[in-house]
Amino acid sequence: MRPLGEWVARRPWWTVIAVLLLSVAAALTCFDPGTGRLRIELDPSTDRLLPAASADRVVYQRLRRTFGDSDAILVAVGFDPVFTAEHVAKIAALSDRFGELPGVTRVFSLATAPNLVADGDSVDVASFAAQAAAHPERIAQLPAQLAANPIYKGVLVSDDGRVASFALSMSDVDDAAFLDTGYGERIRRIVREVAGDAPVWITGGPVVKAATTGALLHTLRRLVPAIFLVMAAVLYVAFRSLRAMLVSVVAIGIALLWTMATAVAFGLQLNLVTVIVPPLVLTLGFTYAIHVLSEYLKPESAKGRFGAALARAARPLGRSRAGLALRAVADFFGAARSDSERIAQTLQRIAMPVGMSFATTLLGFLAFVPNPLPAIQQFGWLSVAGVGYTALLALLFVPAALAVMGSTVRRELPGEAWFRRLTGVLAEFDLRRRTAVLVIGLGLIPAGFWLSTQVRAGTEYIRDFPRQSEVRRDYEAINRAFNGANVVSILVETHVTDALTDPGLAREIAQLQEWLRAQPEIGSAVSYVDFLKLTHQSLDGGAAGAFVVPAQAETIKQLLVFAGNDELRRFIDARMATAQVLVRINVDGSRPIHDLVERIEERLAQLPPPLSARVTGGAVLATRTVGDIVSGQAQSVIIGAAAIWLLMSMLFTSVRAGLLAMLPTLIPVAVYFGALALFRIDLSPTTSLIATIVLGITVDESFHFLARFNTVAREKASEQAALKQALGDMIRPVTLNTVALCLGFLAFVFGELHNQAQFGLLAAFTLLMAWVADLTVLPALGSLMRIVTLWDMLQLDLGRSPQHTIPMFSGLSLRQARLFALLSKLESHPAGARVIREGDWSRDMYVIVDGELEAWVDRDGERRPLATMGRGATMGEGGFFGQRRTANVDTLSPARLLRFDSQDLERLRERYPKIAATVFRNINRIQAERLARMTAMLQ
C-alpha cells in the first residue's frame, strides 16, 4: 500500500475526480437518463428463488403449461344476501367488467360457472346467473344446488350466502406490470361503479406479490435515508468534524451506487433476499469509515503541536534571524503532519486492519455462493461487490477527499477519557475473573449449538404484513368467508393415453379427494371426477344414487367428452392422461403448509401405478424455497467458519492458534441460535443470513486484538500492561462500530414486513453479544495465548540469513527462525547497559542478534574481561538450567537480543514440535562445544 498511498498523497485531486467520474458512469447505469427511472427491478416471487432445474419448479411449470395458471386473483364482494335477482345481475355485470381488464383471460364466478340441470330429456349447462336471469323462480333453488355441487360448494358463494367470489386468471402479466397497472385499485373502482358501497376484498398470489414489492420499495425508501442519518449522527458525535462526516457519507453512498450499478450490469433483480444488500452495504461501509477516520484524525502529540505552533509563529518573521531560529526550534520538536503525510501514514497503518476486515467479511459472504439457490448466490456476490467497494473507497477516497477539503485534528477525540477509564476496569476484571469469564463464555458455544438442533425453519407469508395492512385484512376476510384463500394443486400423471378413464383409477382419485376434504386445513378439493359424477347424475335424471363413477371406461370417456368445456379442461388434459386436483387451504405460513404437504405426499405415495402425483403450486414452492434456504444455513455457517479458520491459521501461523482465535467469534453465533430456540423463533430466509454475516464481521476484531496484545506483551514483558493497551486501542473503534452496526440493522425495524424487522432486531442483538464477547472473553483468552502473526513474520528483522549466521537457528528455515524469535522476546538495549548481573538467579538465556557485548567478572574490585561476543553468540545458559549467573554482561554498542526461557521452549514444543526439536539439538550442540573448549583450556 505504500506506493499507492504515496501516489494518493501527492495527487488527492486526481483520486477524487476519478471516483466521481466512475460514479457518474454508475449513475447512468442505474438510472434511465430519459425518464430518470431506476433500472434495477424488484422480484417478489418465491418460485424464481429456486434453481431453474429444480424438480419442484419443473413440476410447477409443467402444471402451468398443461392447465394454465391456478394462482388467480380472488375477489370477494359482500351483497348480503347474494341470492336476489338484483345481486345476481350485479355479479354478472362485475364478471363482464373484470373480463375487460387487460391480461385477464378468464373470470370464474356465478356468471360463468356452468350449472348442469336436467330438464326432461335435455340438460341445461348455462351458468348459474344465466339460468337465474332466464328463470327468476330458480334463484331460490341456487343455494341448494351449490350445496349439492362439490365443485362449487363454498367456492362461488360463502356458506352463509353473503359473499360472492370471482377468480380472475391472468396471462402474460408479470409482477412488475401487475404493480404498475394497479389492478387492485381498478378492481375496487369497478365494484364501486357496479355495486356501490358493497364491501370488497382482494387476494391471491399476484396481489400478495405486488403488495410485497410495494412494501419492499417503501422500506428501502425509508430505510436507506434512515441509515444515512444514523451514520451521519454517529460520525459527527464520534469525531466532531462536519467535513469528515460529509466525506464518509458521500463515500458510502458512492459504494451503494456502484453496487446497484453492478446488479444492473449483470441483470440481477432485488428479490426477497438480495433486498437486504443495500442497507447492509451502507452499514458495513460505515465501519470501514470509522477505522480510517480514527487513524486519519488521530490527535497529534503535544510535541508535534508545539512544533507546529512555532512554525506558524516563524512565518511572519521571514528569513530574519529570529525567524530562522524559530524554524530551527520547530524542526527540533517536529511539526504536525501535513495532509500528504497524513494520507501516506494512514494508508500504511490502516491497510492491514481494513484489509483483514475486508478479507474476513468477504469469506463470510462467499460462504453463500456454494448454496444451490440463485437468490442466496446473488446475495453473496452482490455483498462481496458492495463490501469491496466500501473498503476501496474508505482507503482511497476518504483520505484524499479530506486532504482536498481540509480536516480538523483535535487534541483528543470525543469520549477518549471515558473509554480509558472503562479500559482500566475491564482489563482488571478480565484478568482477575479470567477463569470464570472463559468458562461461562466458551460454555455458551456448545450450549448454543445444542439448542440450535431445536430450531425450526418457517416464515409467515400474509402475517408478515402488519395487521392493519389492506393485503392482510383482505386475505383474512376471504379466508374466513370461504374456508381457504390459498390454492395448491396436485398434479396427477400417468403418461398413458386415456388412463384416467379407467374406473379403478378414477375411484382412487375420488378416494384421495375424500381424504383431502377430511383434513382440517383443507376447505375444498376439486378434480375431473367431480365433473364426471355430476354429468352422470344429470343424465340419469338427477338421482342421488347416480352421483358415482361409472363402471365402464367407455362411459367415462363419453361423459367427459360430453361435459367438455373450458372449466373441465382446467382439470384433465385432452389425452386424458394427466389431471389436476385443485385444493383450497385455509392455512398460511411455511410451517403449517409444510406439515400439510408432508401428509398429502404420504397419501399420494399410496396411489397405485400408473398414477404418479406431486403437490405443487405457488404456496408449495414458497415453502420449499424457505426449507432450502434454511437448510443451507448449516452449510453456509460451516463453510464460512472453515474458510475464516484457515485464514486465521495462516495469519497466526498455527492451526491451534487459528482455532482459539475463532472461539470468541463463535460465541455470538451460538447465542443467536440458542435465542432462536429459547424464544421459539423460526429460522426464516432473512434471519438465516445473520449467523454467517456476523461471523464475517466480528472475526477481524479477534485478529486485531490478539495481534496487538502479543506485540505489546513482547515489547513490555507485562501481561497486564499488554492487555490494557490492546484493549484500550480496540475499545473505542469496536464500540463505535457496534453502535453503528446495531443502529443500522435496527433501522429494519421500521420496515413494513415483519421478517425485515425481525432480521434487524436479531442482527443487532447478535452484534451486541459479539461486542460483549470482544471486551470480556477475547481479552481473557488472549492473555493465555502467545501467537505469531504472518504480518509479524514479514516485518521481523533478524538480519541477513539468520539460519546461517546464528548457530541457534542452524537447520531451520528463515520462516522457522522467525517463528522461534516471535515466540521468544526480542529486546533492544542501548550501549553501556547491563544485561546479566553476576550472582543473580534467572531462567533466561540469550542469543545476540546485533551488536557487541562483553562478559566480565569483578575480582577484588578489578574488572576482568572474559570475552567479547557478537552476532550469533549464546549466553546465560547457566541461568537457563537453574544456576546463578557466573559473570556480568554489558553492551558495548546498541544491541538486539533474543531472550527465552523454558516456558517459551515448552510453548514452541507444543505448537511447532519439529522446530523445537531442532532448537533443543542446537542448544545441546552449543553446550557440548562450550564444554569441549573448557576441557581443552584445562588441559
Side-chain angles (χ1 to χ4, degrees):
M1 291 297 294
R2 184 174 298 173
L4 182 59
E6 292 175 351
W7 190 92
V8 174
R10 291 193 302 269
R11 304 173 181 85
W13 272 104
W14 285 105
T15 303
V16 172
I17 291 172
V19 169
L20 294 179
L21 288 176
L22 288 173
S23 302
V24 171
L28 292 175
T29 302
C30 291
F31 295 92
D32 186 337
T35 62
R37 185 172 180 176
L38 188 65
R39 285 196 171 110
I40 194 164
E41 297 178 352
L42 277 169
D43 179 11
S45 300
T46 51
D47 58 296
R48 285 195 287 270
L49 298 181
L50 291 169
S54 165
D56 293 308
R57 187 171 176 181
V58 169
V59 170
Y60 183 56
Q61 291 172 341
R62 193 159 66 242
L63 173 80
R64 297 178 67 176
R65 285 195 303 269
T66 306
F67 299 110
D69 191 359
S70 61
D71 200 7
I73 302 175
L74 299 179
V75 181
V77 181
F79 287 103
D80 195 17
V82 170
F83 299 108
T84 66
E86 178 187 0
H87 290 161
V88 170
K90 289 181 178 180
I91 290 172
L94 286 172
S95 298
D96 293 338
R97 293 287 301 276
F98 291 155
E100 295 171 359
L101 289 171
V104 174
T105 58
R106 172 179 170 273
V107 178
F108 181 59
S109 68
L110 280 177
T112 60
N115 181 27
L116 275 71
V117 177
D119 185 10
D121 295 333
S122 64
V123 177
D124 187 354
V125 295
S127 70
F128 289 91
Q131 292 175 2
H135 307 281
E137 68 279 1
R138 292 186 180 180
I139 293 179
Q141 303 172 9
L142 292 182
Q145 292 174 353
L146 286 170
N149 191 319
I151 301 175
Y152 306 134
K153 182 179 182 298
V155 174
L156 297 178
V157 180
S158 61
D159 289 336
D160 60 8
R162 295 181 176 183
V163 183
S165 75
F166 305 81
L168 281 59
S169 298
M170 310 290 291
S171 176
D172 300 327
V173 179
D174 58 22
D175 299 322
F178 185 90
L179 185 64
D180 291 341
T181 306
Y183 278 91
E185 183 53 39
R186 295 179 71 170
I187 289 172
R188 295 180 193 279
R189 186 167 58 248
I190 290 173
V191 173
R192 287 195 299 269
E193 293 172 357
V194 174
D197 58 355
V200 57
W201 304 279
I202 308 172
T203 192
V207 176
V208 175
K209 291 176 184 178
T212 303
T213 302
L216 292 176
L217 284 171
H218 192 249
T219 297
L220 282 179
R221 291 192 188 103
R222 292 195 301 181
L223 197 59
V224 171
I227 293 178
F228 270 116
L229 289 175
V230 169
M231 289 189 302
V234 174
L235 284 169
Y236 184 76
V237 170
F239 298 100
R240 300 293 172 83
S241 171
L242 182 62
R243 284 170 287 188
M245 179 267 287
L246 290 175
V247 166
S248 300
V249 170
V250 169
I252 297 167
I254 291 174
L256 176 59
L257 177 64
W258 290 6
T259 304
M260 293 298 96
T262 302
V264 173
F266 286 94
L268 303 179
Q269 294 178 317
L270 292 183
N271 53 49
L272 295 174
V273 177
T274 56
V275 74
I276 298 173
V277 171
L280 189 64
V281 169
L282 296 180
T283 306
L284 294 179
F286 179 80
T287 65
Y288 293 135
I290 285 180
H291 278 298
V292 174
L293 291 179
S294 296
E295 181 61 39
Y296 188 88
L297 300 177
K298 182 180 289 184
E300 304 286 357
S301 65
K303 181 179 177 181
R305 292 195 301 271
F306 182 64
L310 291 177
R312 286 193 299 269
R315 289 172 189 164
L317 300 177
R319 304 290 297 177
S320 64
R321 290 184 177 181
L324 293 174
L326 280 176
R327 286 192 183 89
V329 176
D331 291 340
F332 172 78
F333 281 97
R337 296 178 296 173
S338 65
D339 286 333
S340 60
E341 291 172 336
R342 197 176 298 151
I343 291 176
Q345 292 178 14
T346 297
L347 288 178
Q348 183 177 353
R349 294 175 181 174
I350 208 67
M352 182 194 174
V354 172
M356 267 301 304
S357 179
F358 168 68
T360 53
T361 308
L362 179 73
L363 288 175
F365 287 125
L366 284 177
F368 292 112
V369 173
N371 195 294
L373 298 182
I376 303 297
Q377 294 175 5
Q378 292 171 13
F379 173 80
W381 285 121
L382 273 181
S383 299
V384 165
V387 171
Y389 294 144
T390 55
L392 182 67
L393 289 167
L395 284 173
L396 301 181
F397 177 78
V398 171
L402 287 174
V404 169
M405 296 179 64
S407 59
T408 302
V409 180
R410 301 183 179 276
R411 297 188 177 186
E412 184 176 75
L413 292 175
E416 282 199 345
W418 183 85
F419 280 115
R420 279 196 298 269
R421 291 193 296 271
L422 180 60
T423 298
V425 174
L426 284 174
E428 183 177 356
F429 173 80
D430 292 337
L431 286 175
R432 182 172 298 178
R433 307 292 184 186
R434 177 165 55 195
T435 302
V437 168
L438 290 177
V439 169
I440 295 173
L442 299 182
L444 290 173
I445 297 176
F449 285 118
W450 176 76
L451 285 171
S452 70
T453 59
Q454 304 174 30
V455 177
R456 290 190 60 180
T459 190
E460 299 289 345
Y461 303 126
I462 293 298
R463 291 184 182 179
D464 201 22
F465 292 92
R467 186 178 297 275
Q468 68 276 11
S469 65
E470 184 178 74
V471 64
R472 179 172 174 178
R473 187 179 64 248
D474 286 5
Y475 169 86
E476 291 177 344
I478 293 177
N479 196 51
R480 286 192 303 269
F482 294 94
N483 194 24
N486 276 336
V487 177
V488 300
S489 298
I490 299 175
L491 180 63
V492 181
E493 297 175 298
T494 65
H495 306 291
V496 178
T497 301
D498 292 338
L500 296 179
T501 62
D502 180 271
L505 297 183
R507 292 190 188 99
E508 287 289 342
I509 295 176
Q511 292 172 11
L512 171 64
Q513 287 182 256
E514 291 176 5
W515 181 90
L516 289 170
R517 290 164 183 157
Q519 305 308 305
E521 302 95 334
I522 294 178
S524 66
V526 181
S527 78
Y528 81 97
V529 177
D530 296 310
F531 287 87
L532 175 65
K533 290 179 178 180
L534 282 172
T535 305
H536 185 255
Q537 182 184 45
S538 298
L539 293 177
D540 199 25
F547 190 74
V548 294
V549 174
Q552 292 78 31
E554 295 78 6
T555 304
I556 292 176
K557 186 172 183 179
Q558 291 173 359
L559 291 176
L560 290 176
V561 171
F562 172 78
N565 53 38
D566 291 340
E567 188 60 25
L568 179 61
R569 281 190 285 272
R570 295 181 60 243
F571 294 91
I572 189 169
D573 69 338
R575 293 176 58 238
M576 299 185 187
T578 303
Q580 172 184 210
V581 180
L582 209 57
V583 180
R584 182 171 291 191
I585 61 177
N586 54 29
V587 291
D588 179 62
S590 63
R591 281 177 56 178
I593 292 177
H594 174 267
D595 294 341
L596 174 62
V597 169
E598 277 196 338
R599 292 205 310 275
I600 294 176
E601 288 183 336
E602 289 176 1
R603 177 63 179 81
L604 296 180
Q606 301 173 15
L607 293 175
L611 294 178
S612 172
R614 292 283 299 273
V615 186
T616 187
V620 176
L621 280 186
T623 300
R624 305 276 197 204
T625 303
V626 171
D628 289 346
I629 287 176
V630 177
S631 64
Q633 165 76 35
Q635 177 189 17
S636 298
V637 172
I638 292 172
I639 291 175
I644 293 171
W645 169 58
L646 291 175
L647 176 64
M648 299 291 279
S649 299
M650 181 188 71
L651 292 170
F652 287 145
T653 67
S654 167
V655 172
R656 176 173 171 268
L659 180 60
L660 290 174
M662 282 288 295
L663 291 179
T665 304
L666 294 176
I667 291 175
V669 177
V671 170
Y672 165 68
F673 284 119
L676 291 182
L678 290 174
F679 294 102
R680 297 184 180 181
I681 301 173
D682 292 339
L683 200 59
S684 68
T686 49
T687 57
S688 66
L689 306 175
I690 292 175
T692 309
I693 291 174
V694 171
L695 193 68
I697 291 174
T698 59
V699 71
D700 61 294
E701 305 299 348
S702 298
F703 173 81
H704 296 322
F705 175 82
L706 293 173
R708 182 61 177 159
F709 172 80
N710 282 272
T711 300
V712 179
R714 283 193 294 269
E715 293 174 353
K716 297 188 174 183
S718 170
E719 180 187 79
Q720 187 169 4
L723 183 65
K724 187 172 182 179
Q725 183 166 335
L727 193 58
D729 290 344
M730 181 185 75
I731 189 170
R732 188 176 189 275
V734 167
T735 302
L736 288 176
N737 283 342
T738 302
V739 170
L741 288 168
C742 288
L743 290 176
F745 282 116
L746 284 175
F748 282 92
V749 173
F750 300 101
E752 291 191 10
L753 297 178
H754 175 69
N755 62 10
Q756 304 288 322
Q758 193 177 66
F759 169 81
L761 284 172
L762 289 172
F765 164 75
T766 309
L767 287 167
L768 183 62
M769 293 300 99
W771 177 77
V772 173
D774 285 340
L775 299 186
T776 54
V777 179
L778 181 59
L781 183 66
S783 64
L784 296 175
M785 296 173 60
R786 179 63 60 84
I787 62 173
V788 175
T789 70
L790 182 62
W791 192 257
D792 291 332
M793 289 183 59
L794 295 175
Q795 289 189 321
L796 181 64
D797 180 18
L798 294 177
R800 185 176 181 181
S801 301
Q803 69 273 32
H804 300 134
T805 57
I806 298 177
M808 184 65 73
F809 297 154
S810 177
L812 300 177
S813 65
L814 177 60
R815 171 184 169 276
Q816 291 173 328
R818 285 175 169 170
L819 279 171
F820 172 53
L822 288 169
L823 283 171
S824 305
K825 304 168 186 67
L826 189 61
E827 301 176 346
S828 297
H829 296 273
R834 178 69 50 84
V835 178
I836 294 177
R837 188 177 302 277
E838 184 181 2
D840 286 352
W841 289 98
S842 183
R843 306 290 293 183
D844 301 319
M845 66 183 297
Y846 297 84
V847 175
I848 301 175
V849 178
D850 291 316
E852 284 192 345
L853 294 89
E854 183 183 59
W856 59 279
V857 294
D858 186 348
R859 296 297 180 263
D860 301 326
E862 181 181 352
R863 180 185 178 111
R864 294 184 182 181
L866 298 179
T868 301
M869 300 170 289
R871 176 175 171 81
T874 304
M875 58 187 188
E877 303 95 318
F880 179 79
F881 290 106
Q883 304 297 318
R884 288 182 181 274
R885 301 297 194 187
T886 58
N888 299 302
V889 178
D890 294 342
T891 57
L892 300 178
S893 64
R896 289 192 302 148
L897 308 176
L898 194 64
R899 178 167 63 92
F900 58 92
D901 56 21
S902 58
Q903 291 183 351
D904 295 324
L905 291 181
E906 179 62 20
R907 191 179 297 112
L908 182 70
R909 185 190 65 80
E910 290 178 354
R911 292 180 54 188
Y912 307 103
K914 292 183 178 180
I915 300 177
T918 303
V919 171
F920 283 129
R921 184 201 66 189
N922 291 339
I923 292 175
N924 291 334
R925 179 183 295 171
I926 292 169
Q927 286 293 93
E929 291 175 353
R930 184 160 298 178
L931 182 61
R933 285 196 301 270
M934 291 179 64
T935 302
M937 290 174 62
L938 291 174
Q939 292 176 349

